[in-house]
Coordinates of all heavy atoms in Angstrom, one line a residue:
A68 N 7.2 -16.4 -5.6 CA 7.6 -16.0 -4.3 C 6.6 -16.6 -3.3 O 7.0 -17.1 -2.2 CB 7.8 -14.5 -4.1
G69 N 5.3 -16.5 -3.6 CA 4.3 -17.1 -2.7 C 4.5 -18.6 -2.5 O 4.3 -19.1 -1.4
A70 N 4.7 -19.3 -3.6 CA 4.9 -20.7 -3.5 C 6.1 -21.0 -2.7 O 6.1 -22.0 -1.9 CB 5.1 -21.3 -4.9
L71 N 7.2 -20.3 -2.8 CA 8.4 -20.5 -2.0 C 8.1 -20.2 -0.5 O 8.6 -20.8 0.4 CB 9.6 -19.6 -2.5 CG 10.2 -20.0 -3.9 CD1 11.1 -18.9 -4.3 CD2 10.9 -21.3 -3.8
S72 N 7.3 -19.1 -0.3 CA 7.0 -18.7 1.0 C 6.2 -19.8 1.8 O 6.5 -20.1 3.0 CB 6.1 -17.5 1.0 OG 5.6 -17.2 2.3
D73 N 5.4 -20.6 1.1 CA 4.7 -21.7 1.7 C 5.6 -22.8 2.1 O 5.3 -23.6 3.0 CB 3.6 -22.2 0.8 CG 2.3 -21.4 0.8 OD1 2.1 -20.7 1.8 OD2 1.6 -21.4 -0.2
R74 N 6.8 -22.9 1.4 CA 7.7 -24.0 1.6 C 8.8 -23.6 2.7 O 9.3 -24.5 3.3 CB 8.4 -24.4 0.3 CG 7.5 -24.9 -0.7 CD 8.0 -24.7 -2.1 NE 9.3 -25.4 -2.4 CZ 9.4 -26.6 -2.9 NH1 8.3 -27.3 -3.2 NH2 10.6 -27.2 -3.1
W75 N 9.1 -22.3 2.8 CA 10.2 -21.9 3.6 C 9.7 -21.5 5.0 O 8.5 -21.2 5.2 CB 10.8 -20.6 3.0 CG 11.6 -20.9 1.8 CD1 12.0 -22.2 1.3 CD2 12.1 -20.0 0.8 NE1 12.7 -22.0 0.1 CE2 12.8 -20.7 -0.2 CE3 12.0 -18.6 0.7 CZ2 13.4 -20.1 -1.3 CZ3 12.6 -18.0 -0.3 CH2 13.3 -18.7 -1.3
N76 N 10.6 -21.5 6.0 CA 10.4 -21.0 7.3 C 10.0 -19.6 7.3 O 10.8 -18.7 6.8 CB 11.6 -21.3 8.2 CG 11.4 -20.8 9.6 OD1 11.5 -19.6 9.9 ND2 11.2 -21.8 10.5
K77 N 8.8 -19.2 7.8 CA 8.4 -17.8 7.7 C 9.3 -16.8 8.4 O 9.6 -15.7 7.9 CB 6.9 -17.7 8.2 CG 5.9 -18.7 7.7 CD 5.8 -18.6 6.2 CE 4.8 -19.6 5.6 NZ 5.3 -21.0 5.7
K78 N 9.7 -17.2 9.6 CA 10.5 -16.3 10.4 C 11.8 -16.0 9.7 O 12.3 -14.9 9.6 CB 10.7 -16.8 11.8 CG 11.5 -16.0 12.7 CD 11.5 -16.6 14.1 CE 12.3 -15.8 15.1 NZ 12.2 -16.3 16.5
K79 N 12.5 -17.1 9.3 CA 13.8 -16.9 8.6 C 13.7 -16.1 7.3 O 14.5 -15.3 7.0 CB 14.4 -18.3 8.3 CG 14.9 -19.0 9.6 CD 15.5 -20.4 9.2 CE 15.9 -21.1 10.5 NZ 16.4 -22.5 10.2
T80 N 12.6 -16.4 6.6 CA 12.4 -15.6 5.4 C 12.2 -14.1 5.6 O 12.8 -13.3 4.9 CB 11.1 -16.1 4.7 OG1 11.2 -17.5 4.4 CG2 10.8 -15.4 3.4
M81 N 11.5 -13.8 6.6 CA 11.3 -12.4 7.0 C 12.6 -11.7 7.4 O 12.9 -10.6 7.0 CB 10.2 -12.2 8.1 CG 8.8 -12.6 7.6 SD 7.6 -12.7 9.0 CE 7.5 -11.0 9.4
L82 N 13.4 -12.4 8.2 CA 14.6 -11.9 8.7 C 15.6 -11.6 7.5 O 16.3 -10.6 7.5 CB 15.2 -12.8 9.7 CG 14.5 -12.9 11.1 CD1 15.1 -14.0 11.9 CD2 14.6 -11.6 11.8
V83 N 15.7 -12.6 6.6 CA 16.7 -12.5 5.5 C 16.3 -11.4 4.6 O 17.1 -10.5 4.2 CB 16.8 -13.8 4.8 CG1 17.6 -13.6 3.5 CG2 17.5 -14.9 5.6
C84 N 15.0 -11.3 4.2 CA 14.5 -10.3 3.3 C 14.7 -8.9 3.9 O 15.1 -8.0 3.2 CB 13.1 -10.5 2.9 SG 12.8 -12.0 1.9
D85 N 14.3 -8.7 5.2 CA 14.5 -7.4 5.8 C 16.0 -7.0 5.9 O 16.3 -5.8 5.7 CB 13.9 -7.5 7.2 CG 12.4 -7.5 7.2 OD1 11.8 -7.1 6.2 OD2 11.8 -7.7 8.3
S86 N 16.9 -8.0 6.1 CA 18.3 -7.7 6.1 C 18.8 -7.2 4.8 O 19.6 -6.2 4.7 CB 19.1 -8.9 6.6 OG 18.7 -9.3 7.9
L87 N 18.4 -7.9 3.7 CA 18.9 -7.5 2.4 C 18.3 -6.1 2.0 O 19.0 -5.3 1.3 CB 18.5 -8.5 1.4 CG 19.2 -9.9 1.5 CD1 18.7 -10.9 0.5 CD2 20.7 -9.7 1.3
A88 N 17.1 -5.8 2.4 CA 16.5 -4.5 2.1 C 17.2 -3.4 2.9 O 17.5 -2.3 2.3 CB 15.0 -4.5 2.5
A89 N 17.6 -3.7 4.1 CA 18.4 -2.8 4.9 C 19.8 -2.5 4.3 O 20.3 -1.4 4.3 CB 18.5 -3.3 6.3
L90 N 20.3 -3.6 3.7 CA 21.6 -3.4 3.0 C 21.5 -2.4 1.8 O 22.4 -1.6 1.6 CB 22.1 -4.8 2.5 CG 23.4 -4.8 1.7 CD1 24.6 -4.3 2.6 CD2 23.7 -6.2 1.2
C91 N 20.4 -2.4 1.1 CA 20.2 -1.4 0.1 C 20.2 0.0 0.6 O 20.7 0.9 0.0 CB 18.9 -1.7 -0.7 SG 18.9 -3.2 -1.7
T92 N 19.5 0.1 1.8 CA 19.5 1.4 2.4 C 20.9 1.9 2.8 O 21.3 3.1 2.7 CB 18.6 1.4 3.7 OG1 17.3 0.9 3.3 CG2 18.4 2.8 4.3
V93 N 21.7 1.0 3.3 CA 23.1 1.3 3.7 C 23.9 1.7 2.5 O 24.6 2.7 2.5 CB 23.8 0.0 4.3 CG1 25.3 0.3 4.5 CG2 23.1 -0.3 5.7
I94 N 23.7 1.1 1.3 CA 24.4 1.4 0.1 C 24.0 2.8 -0.3 O 24.8 3.7 -0.7 CB 24.1 0.4 -1.0 CG1 24.7 -0.9 -0.7 CG2 24.6 0.9 -2.4 CD1 24.3 -2.1 -1.6
T95 N 22.7 3.2 -0.2 CA 22.2 4.5 -0.5 C 22.9 5.5 0.4 O 23.3 6.6 -0.1 CB 20.7 4.6 -0.3 OG1 20.0 3.6 -1.2 CG2 20.2 6.0 -0.7
F96 N 23.0 5.2 1.7 CA 23.6 6.1 2.6 C 25.1 6.4 2.2 O 25.6 7.5 2.2 CB 23.6 5.5 4.0 CG 24.2 6.3 5.1 CD1 23.4 7.3 5.7 CD2 25.5 6.1 5.5 CE1 24.0 8.1 6.7 CE2 26.1 6.9 6.5 CZ 25.3 7.9 7.1
I97 N 25.8 5.3 1.9 CA 27.2 5.4 1.5 C 27.4 6.3 0.2 O 28.3 7.2 0.1 CB 27.9 4.0 1.3 CG1 27.9 3.3 2.7 CG2 29.3 4.1 0.7 CD1 28.3 1.8 2.5
M98 N 26.5 6.0 -0.7 CA 26.6 6.8 -2.0 C 26.3 8.3 -1.8 O 26.9 9.1 -2.5 CB 25.7 6.2 -3.1 CG 26.1 4.7 -3.4 SD 25.0 4.0 -4.7 CE 25.7 4.7 -6.1
L99 N 25.4 8.5 -0.9 CA 25.1 9.9 -0.6 C 26.3 10.6 0.1 O 26.7 11.7 -0.3 CB 23.9 10.0 0.4 CG 22.5 10.1 -0.2 CD1 21.5 9.9 0.8 CD2 22.3 11.4 -1.0
K100 N 26.9 9.9 1.0 CA 28.1 10.5 1.7 C 29.3 10.7 0.7 O 30.0 11.7 0.9 CB 28.6 9.6 2.8 CG 27.6 9.4 4.0 CD 27.3 10.7 4.7 CE 28.5 11.2 5.5 NZ 28.2 12.4 6.2
L101 N 29.4 9.8 -0.3 CA 30.4 10.0 -1.3 C 30.0 10.9 -2.4 O 30.8 11.2 -3.3 CB 30.8 8.6 -1.8 CG 31.4 7.6 -0.9 CD1 31.6 6.3 -1.6 CD2 32.7 8.1 -0.3
D102 N 28.8 11.4 -2.4 CA 28.3 12.4 -3.4 C 28.3 11.7 -4.8 O 28.7 12.4 -5.8 CB 29.1 13.7 -3.3 CG 28.3 14.8 -4.1 OD1 27.1 14.7 -4.2 OD2 29.0 15.7 -4.6
V103 N 28.0 10.5 -4.9 CA 28.0 9.8 -6.2 C 26.6 9.2 -6.5 O 26.4 8.6 -7.5 CB 29.0 8.7 -6.2 CG1 30.4 9.2 -6.1 CG2 28.7 7.6 -5.2
L104 N 25.6 9.5 -5.7 CA 24.2 9.0 -5.9 C 23.6 9.6 -7.1 O 23.4 10.8 -7.2 CB 23.4 9.2 -4.7 CG 22.0 8.6 -4.7 CD1 22.1 7.0 -4.7 CD2 21.1 9.0 -3.5
E105 N 23.1 8.8 -8.0 CA 22.4 9.2 -9.2 C 21.0 8.6 -9.3 O 20.7 7.7 -8.6 CB 23.2 8.8 -10.5 CG 24.6 9.3 -10.6 CD 24.6 10.8 -10.9 OE1 23.6 11.4 -11.3 OE2 25.7 11.5 -10.6
T106 N 20.2 9.2 -10.2 CA 18.8 8.7 -10.3 C 18.7 7.3 -10.6 O 18.0 6.5 -9.9 CB 18.1 9.5 -11.4 OG1 18.2 10.9 -11.0 CG2 16.6 9.1 -11.5
W107 N 19.6 6.8 -11.5 CA 19.5 5.4 -11.9 C 19.9 4.4 -10.8 O 19.4 3.3 -10.7 CB 20.3 5.1 -13.1 CG 21.8 5.1 -13.0 CD1 22.6 6.2 -13.1 CD2 22.6 4.0 -12.7 NE1 23.9 5.8 -12.9 CE2 23.9 4.5 -12.6 CE3 22.4 2.7 -12.4 CZ2 25.0 3.7 -12.3 CZ3 23.5 1.8 -12.1 CH2 24.8 2.4 -12.1
H108 N 20.8 4.9 -9.9 CA 21.1 4.1 -8.7 C 19.9 3.8 -7.8 O 19.7 2.7 -7.4 CB 22.2 4.8 -7.8 CG 23.5 5.0 -8.5 ND1 24.3 6.1 -8.3 CD2 24.1 4.2 -9.4 CE1 25.4 6.0 -9.0 NE2 25.3 4.9 -9.7
L109 N 19.1 4.9 -7.7 CA 17.9 4.7 -6.8 C 16.9 3.7 -7.5 O 16.2 3.0 -6.8 CB 17.2 6.1 -6.6 CG 17.9 7.1 -5.8 CD1 17.2 8.4 -5.7 CD2 18.2 6.5 -4.4
Y110 N 16.8 3.8 -8.8 CA 15.9 2.9 -9.5 C 16.3 1.4 -9.3 O 15.5 0.5 -9.0 CB 15.8 3.2 -11.0 CG 15.2 4.5 -11.4 CD1 15.6 5.1 -12.5 CD2 14.4 5.2 -10.5 CE1 15.0 6.4 -12.9 CE2 13.8 6.4 -10.8 CZ 14.2 7.0 -12.0 OH 13.6 8.2 -12.4
V111 N 17.6 1.1 -9.4 CA 18.1 -0.2 -9.2 C 17.9 -0.7 -7.7 O 17.4 -1.8 -7.5 CB 19.6 -0.3 -9.6 CG1 20.2 -1.7 -9.2 CG2 19.8 0.0 -11.1
L112 N 18.3 0.2 -6.8 CA 18.1 -0.2 -5.4 C 16.6 -0.4 -5.0 O 16.3 -1.3 -4.2 CB 18.7 0.9 -4.5 CG 20.3 1.0 -4.6 CD1 20.8 2.3 -3.9 CD2 20.9 -0.2 -4.0
N113 N 15.7 0.4 -5.6 CA 14.3 0.3 -5.3 C 13.8 -1.1 -5.9 O 12.9 -1.7 -5.3 CB 13.5 1.4 -5.9 CG 13.4 2.6 -4.9 OD1 14.2 2.8 -4.0 ND2 12.3 3.3 -5.0
A114 N 14.4 -1.4 -7.0 CA 14.0 -2.7 -7.6 C 14.4 -3.9 -6.7 O 13.6 -4.9 -6.6 CB 14.6 -2.9 -9.0
I115 N 15.6 -3.8 -6.2 CA 16.0 -4.9 -5.3 C 15.2 -4.9 -4.0 O 14.8 -6.0 -3.5 CB 17.5 -4.7 -4.9 CG1 18.4 -4.8 -6.1 CG2 18.0 -5.7 -3.8 CD1 19.8 -4.4 -5.9
N116 N 14.8 -3.7 -3.5 CA 13.9 -3.6 -2.3 C 12.6 -4.3 -2.6 O 12.0 -5.0 -1.8 CB 13.7 -2.2 -1.9 CG 14.7 -1.7 -0.8 OD1 14.9 -2.5 0.1 ND2 15.2 -0.5 -0.9
G117 N 12.1 -4.0 -3.9 CA 10.8 -4.6 -4.3 C 10.9 -6.1 -4.3 O 9.9 -6.8 -3.9
L118 N 12.0 -6.6 -4.8 CA 12.1 -8.1 -4.9 C 12.1 -8.7 -3.5 O 11.5 -9.7 -3.2 CB 13.4 -8.4 -5.6 CG 13.7 -9.9 -5.8 CD1 12.6 -10.5 -6.7 CD2 15.1 -10.1 -6.5
M119 N 12.8 -8.0 -2.5 CA 12.8 -8.5 -1.2 C 11.4 -8.5 -0.5 O 11.0 -9.4 0.1 CB 13.8 -7.7 -0.3 CG 15.3 -7.9 -0.6 SD 15.8 -9.6 -0.6 CE 15.8 -10.0 -2.4
N120 N 10.7 -7.4 -0.8 CA 9.3 -7.3 -0.3 C 8.4 -8.4 -0.9 O 7.4 -8.8 -0.3 CB 8.8 -5.9 -0.6 CG 7.5 -5.6 0.1 OD1 7.3 -6.0 1.3 ND2 6.6 -5.0 -0.5
T121 N 8.7 -8.8 -2.2 CA 7.9 -9.8 -2.9 C 7.9 -11.1 -2.1 O 6.9 -11.7 -2.0 CB 8.5 -10.0 -4.3 OG1 8.5 -8.8 -5.0 CG2 7.7 -11.0 -5.0
V122 N 9.1 -11.5 -1.5 CA 9.1 -12.7 -0.8 C 8.7 -12.5 0.6 O 8.0 -13.4 1.2 CB 10.6 -13.2 -0.8 CG1 10.7 -14.6 0.0 CG2 11.1 -13.4 -2.2
Q123 N 9.0 -11.4 1.2 CA 8.7 -11.1 2.6 C 7.2 -10.9 2.9 O 6.7 -11.4 3.9 CB 9.5 -9.9 3.1 CG 9.5 -9.7 4.6 CD 8.4 -8.8 5.1 OE1 7.6 -8.3 4.4 NE2 8.4 -8.6 6.5
Q124 N 6.5 -10.3 2.0 CA 5.1 -9.9 2.2 C 4.2 -11.1 2.4 O 3.5 -11.2 3.4 CB 4.6 -9.0 1.1 CG 3.3 -8.3 1.4 CD 2.1 -9.1 1.0 OE1 2.2 -10.0 0.2 NE2 1.0 -8.7 1.6
P125 N 4.2 -12.1 1.5 CA 3.4 -13.3 1.7 C 3.8 -14.1 3.0 O 2.9 -14.6 3.7 CB 3.5 -14.1 0.5 CG 4.7 -13.6 -0.2 CD 4.9 -12.2 0.2
A126 N 5.1 -14.1 3.3 CA 5.5 -14.8 4.5 C 5.0 -14.1 5.7 O 4.5 -14.7 6.7 CB 7.0 -14.9 4.5
G127 N 5.0 -12.8 5.7 CA 4.5 -12.0 6.8 C 3.0 -12.1 7.0 O 2.5 -12.2 8.1
E128 N 2.3 -12.2 5.9 CA 0.8 -12.4 5.9 C 0.5 -13.7 6.6 O -0.4 -13.8 7.4 CB 0.2 -12.3 4.6 CG 0.2 -10.9 4.0 CD -0.7 -9.9 4.7 OE1 -1.6 -10.4 5.5 OE2 -0.6 -8.7 4.5
V129 N 1.1 -14.8 6.1 CA 0.9 -16.1 6.7 C 1.3 -16.1 8.2 O 0.6 -16.7 9.0 CB 1.6 -17.2 5.9 CG1 1.3 -18.6 6.5 CG2 1.1 -17.2 4.5
A130 N 2.4 -15.5 8.5 CA 2.8 -15.4 9.9 C 1.8 -14.8 10.8 O 1.5 -15.3 11.9 CB 4.1 -14.7 10.0
M131 N 1.2 -13.7 10.3 CA 0.1 -13.1 11.0 C -1.1 -14.0 11.3 O -1.6 -14.0 12.3 CB -0.3 -11.8 10.3 CG 0.6 -10.6 10.4 SD 0.7 -10.0 12.1 CE 1.8 -8.6 11.9
T132 N -1.5 -14.7 10.2 CA -2.6 -15.7 10.4 C -2.2 -16.7 11.4 O -3.1 -17.1 12.2 CB -2.8 -16.4 9.0 OG1 -3.2 -15.4 8.0 CG2 -4.0 -17.3 9.1
M133 N -1.0 -17.2 11.5 CA -0.6 -18.2 12.4 C -0.6 -17.7 13.9 O -0.9 -18.5 14.8 CB 0.9 -18.7 12.1 CG 0.9 -19.5 10.8 SD 2.7 -20.0 10.5 CE 2.4 -21.2 9.1
I134 N -0.3 -16.5 14.1 CA -0.2 -16.0 15.5 C -1.5 -15.2 16.0 O -1.5 -14.9 17.1 CB 1.0 -15.1 15.7 CG1 0.9 -13.8 14.8 CG2 2.3 -15.8 15.4 CD1 2.1 -12.8 15.1
I135 N -2.5 -15.0 15.1 CA -3.7 -14.4 15.5 C -4.8 -15.4 15.5 O -5.1 -16.0 14.5 CB -4.1 -13.3 14.4 CG1 -3.0 -12.2 14.3 CG2 -5.4 -12.6 14.9 CD1 -3.2 -11.2 13.2
P136 N -5.5 -15.6 16.7 CA -6.6 -16.4 16.8 C -7.7 -15.9 15.9 O -7.9 -14.7 15.8 CB -7.0 -16.3 18.3 CG -5.8 -15.9 19.0 CD -5.1 -15.0 18.0
P137 N -8.5 -16.8 15.2 CA -9.5 -16.3 14.2 C -10.5 -15.3 14.7 O -10.9 -14.4 14.0 CB -10.2 -17.6 13.8 CG -9.1 -18.7 14.0 CD -8.3 -18.2 15.2
K138 N -10.8 -15.4 16.0 CA -11.8 -14.5 16.6 C -11.3 -13.0 16.6 O -12.1 -12.1 16.8 CB -12.3 -14.9 17.9 CG -11.2 -14.9 19.0 CD -11.7 -15.5 20.3 CE -10.6 -15.5 21.4 NZ -11.1 -16.1 22.7
Y139 N -10.0 -12.9 16.5 CA -9.4 -11.5 16.5 C -9.1 -11.0 15.2 O -8.4 -9.9 15.1 CB -8.2 -11.5 17.4 CG -8.4 -11.8 18.9 CD1 -7.9 -13.0 19.4 CD2 -9.2 -11.0 19.7 CE1 -8.1 -13.3 20.8 CE2 -9.4 -11.3 21.0 CZ -8.9 -12.4 21.6 OH -9.1 -12.7 22.9
Y140 N -9.4 -11.6 14.1 CA -9.0 -11.2 12.7 C -9.4 -9.8 12.4 O -8.6 -8.9 12.0 CB -9.6 -12.1 11.7 CG -8.9 -13.4 11.5 CD1 -9.5 -14.5 10.7 CD2 -7.7 -13.7 12.0 CE1 -8.9 -15.7 10.5 CE2 -7.0 -14.9 11.8 CZ -7.6 -15.9 11.1 OH -7.0 -17.1 10.9
Q141 N -10.7 -9.4 12.7 CA -11.1 -8.1 12.3 C -10.5 -7.0 13.2 O -10.0 -6.0 12.8 CB -12.7 -7.9 12.4 CG -13.2 -6.5 12.1 CD -14.7 -6.5 11.8 OE1 -15.3 -7.5 11.4 NE2 -15.3 -5.3 12.1
R142 N -10.3 -7.3 14.5 CA -9.7 -6.4 15.4 C -8.2 -6.2 15.1 O -7.7 -5.1 15.1 CB -9.8 -6.9 16.9 CG -9.2 -5.9 17.9 CD -9.4 -6.5 19.3 NE -10.8 -6.7 19.6 CZ -11.2 -7.2 20.8 NH1 -10.4 -7.6 21.7 NH2 -12.5 -7.4 21.0

Side-chain angles (χ1 to χ4, degrees):
L71 290 171
S72 171
D73 279 337
R74 296 155 62 92
W75 290 345
N76 180 282
K77 308 299 181 292
K78 181 174 178 176
K79 291 179 180 177
T80 300
M81 294 171 69
L82 290 171
V83 171
C84 290
D85 285 345
S86 298
L87 292 174
L90 179 61
C91 291
T92 305
V93 171
I94 293 172
T95 303
F96 181 86
I97 293 171
M98 297 181 82
L99 272 171
K100 294 298 290 183
L101 297 175
D102 197 26
V103 295
L104 185 64
E105 298 291 341
T106 301
W107 71 269
H108 294 147
L109 292 178
Y110 295 156
V111 172
L112 291 169
N113 271 29
I115 297 172
N116 265 319
L118 184 60
M119 293 304 100
N120 191 42
T121 301
V122 181
Q123 193 268 0
Q124 196 271 342
E128 289 291 347
V129 179
M131 284 294 184
T132 301
M133 289 178 169
I134 64 177
I135 302 172
K138 63 182 177 180
Y139 296 117
Y140 279 168
Q141 181 165 332
R142 184 179 301 177

